Amino acid sequence: MTPASKPAPNGPLPVATELANAARDFRLRMADIDRETKTALDMTRDRYNGTVHASAAAAARAHRDKAAVKTYTTHLAPHADALLDAARRALDELPPARHLAGWRAVLDGLAASANEIRRALDRPAAPGSPAEREQHSALWPYLAAWADHSAIASNLADQSDGQHHKAPLTEEEQRMWTERAQAAQRRGELELSESWYAADGQPITLAHLIEDDDSTLVALRGDPDAPGCQVIGHYAHEYEAGKVLPAPVPPGVLRADVSGFSRPEPAPEISLQELTRDVVEAQHAGDASNALLSATQRGYDAGPMVRLQELLETSGQFASALETVQGRQIAARFSGLGRQIEFLTREVEEAAEDLGATVAVLPPHRTPVLHIRPRPAVDTTPPTPPPRASTPARHR
């Protein structure tokens, strides 16, 4: 990789859109690499997610790391520093908002990642050597950081071209349209269709305001279910709205330390379908009990019922993190459902233990039924089929 990823001092600065497109192209290619790697790793695991072909898994990751380095050097390295510069300039021009400090930290992290990649590849290891594989493996977290978070830099670079809300309503028009939207919402005739955040940190929501079988597309600023929400425009269609409304910025994440490109190894897991089959095939009460206890098992290799509770708890955290009226209400519902699943899990666990304590087997009269018919002997002539009637039979 050449260290010259900045434009020449006297050369023209790259267009912001060109820089954003370079990062977007890198992310798309990284997504393809990640998808191919996951498919290859799936082939190295058994049905419980345990790795059974360690050498093949290591080879898949080595191929991923090498492909990611090549993608970065080819498509993003020549533009990385210029993209970050454009993003920082745009960030300095934005109005104060809660997310700007986090965005600045992301840009600093991307710059540090770019420096680490440059430092390593300016001293490349011998091609095909174990040292090169180790070098590429060490670079994967920095490449994944760019794949995960360069959308923020791309968006800021695009913002530098400027897109602002044009032709705002007068105060009287805004008050009138807001009252109409509130009345429609009380009637259940304000249909929300799309939502995003603007660069100033305010949510923008498109909605269809229905009055007397007539629908008007309006844009709302703020939480539609909270006091203070206002209509900031009405439009003939979504395309017109998109041309004049504030551009969307990248949405946030539920947990700041989660990476879509660096997921942890999946824990061993048995599906409910397989546990149900275990009960069907069981003959001893203890076997059926063990299947149920597997469903309620906790810890690293937790069972499906415990995983369901984790899903509900995480979904509640997500709903709460939306910071909307409806989000908080739905989070409370998920919290209640989680408590019900916890109670149900304990009940299933106790019932499973009681089942196992019966020390019983299925009675022998529950005889299996063969689903195949014995073949006729080789020297046996098959029976002659009855003649087919040429005319329909008459019934008296």
Side-chain angles (χ1 to χ4, degrees), residues 240-274:
E240 180 188 359
K243 290 193 299 183
V244 298
L245 286 172
V249 300
V253 294
L254 179 60
R255 297 175 183 170
D257 59 344
V258 171
S259 166
F261 288 89
S262 293
R263 289 186 172 186
E265 286 292 320
E269 191 171 49
I270 303 178
S271 69
L272 276 176
Q273 183 176 0
E274 187 161 356

Side-chain angles (χ1 to χ4, degrees), residues 124-299:
S129 66
E132 184 188 51
R133 293 181 65 166
E134 291 180 6
Q135 186 180 63
H136 290 172
S137 176
L139 289 178
W140 170 255
Y142 303 112
L143 298 165
W146 272 91
D148 277 318
H149 307 303
S150 61
I152 291 176
S154 295
N155 183 270
L156 283 167
D158 278 340
Q159 292 281 349
S160 65
D161 289 338
Q163 183 183 20
H164 305 285
H165 183 211
K166 303 173 184 177
L169 300 175
T170 65
E171 290 187 9
E172 178 62 25
E173 290 173 329
Q174 189 175 72
R175 183 188 61 79
M176 180 191 68
W177 278 98
T178 300
E179 290 176 352
R180 290 171 63 179
Q182 291 171 344
Q185 188 175 37
R186 289 191 294 269
R187 298 192 308 268
E189 294 183 329
L190 185 67
E191 299 178 356
L192 309 184
S193 62
E194 186 179 359
S195 180
W196 67 89
Y197 274 85
D200 61 1
Q202 286 293 317
I204 305 295
T205 303
L206 292 181
H208 294 278
L209 194 161
I210 302 173
E211 295 173 313
D212 300 326
D213 296 329
D214 190 22
S215 177
T216 303
L217 182 69
V218 298
L220 312 171
R221 180 185 291 274
D223 183 354
D225 297 297
C229 178
Q230 295 181 324
V231 174
I232 59 174
H234 55 90
Y235 313 95
H237 42 68
E238 284 80 0
Y239 179 72
E240 180 188 359
K243 290 193 299 183
V244 298
L245 286 172
V249 300
V253 294
L254 179 60
R255 297 175 183 170
D257 59 344
V258 171
S259 166
F261 288 89
S262 293
R263 289 186 172 186
E265 286 292 320
E269 191 171 49
I270 303 178
S271 69
L272 276 176
Q273 183 176 0
E274 187 161 356
L275 293 175
T276 301
R277 192 65 190 177
D278 287 346
V279 176
V280 170
E281 296 174 355
Q283 294 177 310
H284 297 261
D287 294 337
S289 172
N290 288 335
L292 287 164
L293 291 174
S294 294
T296 62
Q297 182 169 299
R298 303 171 191 275

